[in-house]
Amino acid sequence: MKVNAPPLLPILRSGVQARLLTALLLDPEREFSVSDLADISETSVPTAVREVDRAEQAGIVRSRNVGRTRLVTANTRSFAYEPLRELLLRAFGPLSVVTDEFANLDGVDKLLIFGSWAARYTGDSGHEPRDVDVLIVGAPDRGAAYDAAERAERQLHRPVQVTIRTAAQWENPGSDSFLLEVQRRPLVEIDRDADGEAS
């Protein structure tokens, strides 16, 4: 059966392959069972097995058997790990997902990723973040914002925390210790008018 390559990274063979590798390479400290990877990749277990076999033959992942369960993890020693991880992070990671899920939200003056993920995007080293922090500057419908966060969580398989501040608060944080801290640390602003490119 012919499958379409993901439009954001057409070097990959399929969306299944993209989702499977994204899960593994963006969370390299975690071991996934093949059934976990099938769920994440939205495919059958036999297809997930084939994708894992291909990735292991290429040296991108490693696996081990615990009883009847095959556990799979990223091979961080592979020469391809860092460049492939960077491509997957930019094409399928939080920036892409947050851009897509919050795209139609009204009342947004600025949409930013802050915290650990922003630090990783801007080159700071450290452990893989366990959640994604999103700041909305403006006056969006809170229910719609939280719905967007839930959709993003389902795709990223990790919590997406949303904080909302008005434009006036952003421009004049005063004694708002949260905003003062956010503004002095790395930020990734999503340009909602430019197909998801971060500014």
Side-chain angles (χ1 to χ4, degrees), residues 178-196:
F178 166 77
L179 277 184
L180 291 170
E181 178 69 11
V182 166
Q183 290 180 355
R184 76 173 188 82
R185 294 178 63 82
L187 286 169
V188 176
E189 182 174 354
I190 295 171
D191 183 349
R192 302 171 80 229
D193 297 319
D195 298 324

Side-chain angles (χ1 to χ4, degrees), residues 20 23-24 30-41 45 48-49 52 62-66 68-73:
L20 184 142
L24 286 161
R30 177 178 170 187
E31 286 185 307
F32 295 83
S33 70
V34 173
S35 60
D36 288 339
L37 292 170
D39 289 342
I40 290 168
S41 304
V45 169
V49 168
V52 168
R62 298 176 297 186
S63 70
R64 66 188 182 100
N65 292 318
V66 177
R68 298 177 65 181
T69 302
R70 183 180 182 186
L71 297 176
V72 187
T73 189

Side-chain angles (χ1 to χ4, degrees), residues 8 18-19 22-23 26 40 42 87-105 111-113 117 121 132-134 144-145 147-162 188 190 192 195-198:
L8 290 176
R19 288 187 291 272
T22 297
L26 296 193
I40 290 168
E42 302 171 15
L87 286 170
L88 292 168
L89 177 65
R90 295 191 177 278
F92 303 104
L95 181 60
S96 174
V97 171
V98 169
T99 299
D100 289 346
E101 295 304 338
F102 288 78
N104 296 320
L105 195 62
L111 181 63
L112 306 112
I113 295 176
W117 271 112
Y121 274 115
V132 179
D133 298 304
V134 176
D147 288 346
E150 287 184 11
R151 293 193 302 272
E153 284 184 2
R154 288 195 292 271
Q155 291 188 61
L156 295 169
H157 309 286
R158 66 192 72 216
V160 175
Q161 312 291 340
V162 176
V188 176
I190 295 171
R192 302 171 80 229
D195 298 324
E197 293 296 322

Side-chain angles (χ1 to χ4, degrees), residues 43-56:
T43 192
S44 65
V45 169
T47 299
V49 168
R50 287 194 296 273
E51 290 296 344
V52 168
D53 287 344
R54 289 186 184 107
E56 190 160 25

Side-chain angles (χ1 to χ4, degrees), residues 136-147:
I136 298 173
V137 177
D141 177 275
R142 287 182 178 270
Y146 298 142
D147 288 346

